Amino acid sequence: MTKTTYQFNNTFKFTKYLTLLVGIYCLCFTLPTILLKRSVVVPFFGVIPISILFTGTYFVLLDVITEVYGYYEGKKALYTGLAAYTIFVFTMEFVLS
C-alpha cells in the first residue's frame, strides 16, 4: 500500500490579506502618536482623545492576525509594528529638530 502525500500550493491565496492587515496594524500602531492632542466628542462619554479609538484597534487587529494566521505570523506582525514605530519616532525626531 502506498502512502499519498498531499501538498497544497495555495499559500499565496491564504496569505493574500496578511500584508494588508499588517500594514493597517502598523498604521494603527503609529497613528495614536500623531493624534495624541486631538479630541472628539462622543455622546454619553463627553470629550475623549481620538487616540484611544486606535489603541483598541491595533489590539484587535493583532488578535485577528494571531487567530487566523497563527502565533508565528502574529509575532512577526508585532515586531513589524514595533519596527515601524521606531522608524517613525526617529524620523519625527529628525524632521522636528
Side-chain angles (χ1 to χ4, degrees), residues 5-10:
T5 346
Y6 295 103
Q7 291 183 353
F8 296 103
N9 217 0
N10 59 356

PDB file of all heavy atoms in Angstrom, residues 5-10:
ATOM      1  N   THR A   5       0.909  11.655  -0.357  1.00  0.00           N
ATOM      2  CA  THR A   5       1.158  12.924   0.319  1.00  0.00           C
ATOM      3  C   THR A   5       0.509  14.030  -0.501  1.00  0.00           C
ATOM      4  O   THR A   5       0.670  14.090  -1.701  1.00  0.00           O
ATOM      5  CB  THR A   5       2.649  13.228   0.407  1.00  0.00           C
ATOM      6  OG1 THR A   5       3.408  12.087   0.116  1.00  0.00           O
ATOM      7  CG2 THR A   5       3.039  13.722   1.739  1.00  0.00           C
ATOM      8  N   TYR A   6      -0.199  14.861   0.187  1.00  0.00           N
ATOM      9  CA  TYR A   6      -0.846  15.990  -0.479  1.00  0.00           C
ATOM     10  C   TYR A   6      -0.090  17.265  -0.139  1.00  0.00           C
ATOM     11  O   TYR A   6       0.199  17.531   1.019  1.00  0.00           O
ATOM     12  CB  TYR A   6      -2.301  16.127  -0.014  1.00  0.00           C
ATOM     13  CG  TYR A   6      -3.151  14.964  -0.406  1.00  0.00           C
ATOM     14  CD1 TYR A   6      -3.504  14.005   0.519  1.00  0.00           C
ATOM     15  CD2 TYR A   6      -3.588  14.819  -1.711  1.00  0.00           C
ATOM     16  CE1 TYR A   6      -4.283  12.924   0.175  1.00  0.00           C
ATOM     17  CE2 TYR A   6      -4.367  13.746  -2.079  1.00  0.00           C
ATOM     18  CZ  TYR A   6      -4.714  12.801  -1.134  1.00  0.00           C
ATOM     19  OH  TYR A   6      -5.476  11.741  -1.495  1.00  0.00           O
ATOM     20  N   GLN A   7       0.217  18.012  -1.159  1.00  0.00           N
ATOM     21  CA  GLN A   7       0.878  19.289  -0.955  1.00  0.00           C
ATOM     22  C   GLN A   7      -0.035  20.382  -1.491  1.00  0.00           C
ATOM     23  O   GLN A   7      -0.440  20.350  -2.646  1.00  0.00           O
ATOM     24  CB  GLN A   7       2.218  19.338  -1.679  1.00  0.00           C
ATOM     25  CG  GLN A   7       3.243  18.423  -1.087  1.00  0.00           C
ATOM     26  CD  GLN A   7       4.566  18.557  -1.794  1.00  0.00           C
ATOM     27  OE1 GLN A   7       4.674  19.239  -2.812  1.00  0.00           O
ATOM     28  NE2 GLN A   7       5.591  17.922  -1.258  1.00  0.00           N
ATOM     29  N   PHE A   8      -0.333  21.310  -0.634  1.00  0.00           N
ATOM     30  CA  PHE A   8      -1.164  22.424  -1.050  1.00  0.00           C
ATOM     31  C   PHE A   8      -0.261  23.582  -1.417  1.00  0.00           C
ATOM     32  O   PHE A   8       0.582  24.002  -0.644  1.00  0.00           O
ATOM     33  CB  PHE A   8      -2.115  22.826   0.083  1.00  0.00           C
ATOM     34  CG  PHE A   8      -3.084  21.745   0.410  1.00  0.00           C
ATOM     35  CD1 PHE A   8      -2.916  20.963   1.534  1.00  0.00           C
ATOM     36  CD2 PHE A   8      -4.153  21.497  -0.426  1.00  0.00           C
ATOM     37  CE1 PHE A   8      -3.810  19.967   1.831  1.00  0.00           C
ATOM     38  CE2 PHE A   8      -5.048  20.501  -0.130  1.00  0.00           C
ATOM     39  CZ  PHE A   8      -4.886  19.731   0.997  1.00  0.00           C
ATOM     40  N   ASN A   9      -0.465  24.079  -2.604  1.00  0.00           N
ATOM     41  CA  ASN A   9       0.402  25.121  -3.123  1.00  0.00           C
ATOM     42  C   ASN A   9      -0.309  26.465  -3.165  1.00  0.00           C
ATOM     43  O   ASN A   9       0.007  27.297  -3.974  1.00  0.00           O
ATOM     44  CB  ASN A   9       0.878  24.738  -4.519  1.00  0.00           C
ATOM     45  CG  ASN A   9       2.312  25.158  -4.756  1.00  0.00           C
ATOM     46  OD1 ASN A   9       2.933  25.725  -3.880  1.00  0.00           O
ATOM     47  ND2 ASN A   9       2.801  24.885  -5.928  1.00  0.00           N
ATOM     48  N   ASN A  10      -1.301  26.649  -2.310  1.00  0.00           N
ATOM     49  CA  ASN A  10      -2.063  27.892  -2.344  1.00  0.00           C
ATOM     50  C   ASN A  10      -1.717  28.790  -1.162  1.00  0.00           C
ATOM     51  O   ASN A  10      -2.577  29.442  -0.604  1.00  0.00           O
ATOM     52  CB  ASN A  10      -3.555  27.615  -2.379  1.00  0.00           C
ATOM     53  CG  ASN A  10      -4.012  26.825  -1.171  1.00  0.00           C
ATOM     54  OD1 ASN A  10      -3.201  26.419  -0.356  1.00  0.00           O
ATOM     55  ND2 ASN A  10      -5.309  26.608  -1.068  1.00  0.00           N
TER      56      ASN A  10
END
